[in-house]
Amino acid sequence: MAFANAAFYTFYQTYIPVEIMGRVGSLYGLVESLCIIIVTALFGILVEVISIRLVVIIGAALMIIVALAVWTCSLRVLVQRKNVSVEKVST
């Protein structure tokens, strides 16, 4: 989470205008809190229906899938940026 937060706050400080930083930060905090509440409730319900071991395995698998998806998207962006910079240099 430390790496994710560092990356998010770097983006936040770079691209969000100072005039609206507080509002964007508050909105982000609200969305983050709602997501935590929903996921916690969902996991609690799943634990009642199936075993806690299976819920943890499913949660870990979902986190790996999301991490791989984010990693793939970031690689695509890096490749596109590299291609754009190569085209600018060659023209």
Side-chain angles (χ1 to χ4, degrees), residues 3 29 36 61 77 84:
F3 292 116
I36 290 170
V77 169
V84 168

Side-chain angles (χ1 to χ4, degrees), residues 32-74:
E32 182 182 22
S33 298
L34 286 174
C35 288
I36 290 170
I37 291 168
I38 291 168
V39 168
T40 303
L42 181 65
F43 274 33
I45 292 168
L46 286 175
V47 165
E48 292 295 325
V49 176
I50 56 179
S51 71
I52 191 166
R53 180 178 292 166
L54 188 57
V55 171
V56 170
I57 291 171
I58 291 169
L62 286 173
M63 285 188 273
I64 289 173
I65 291 168
V66 168
L68 288 173
V70 169
W71 180 64
T72 304
C73 290
S74 65

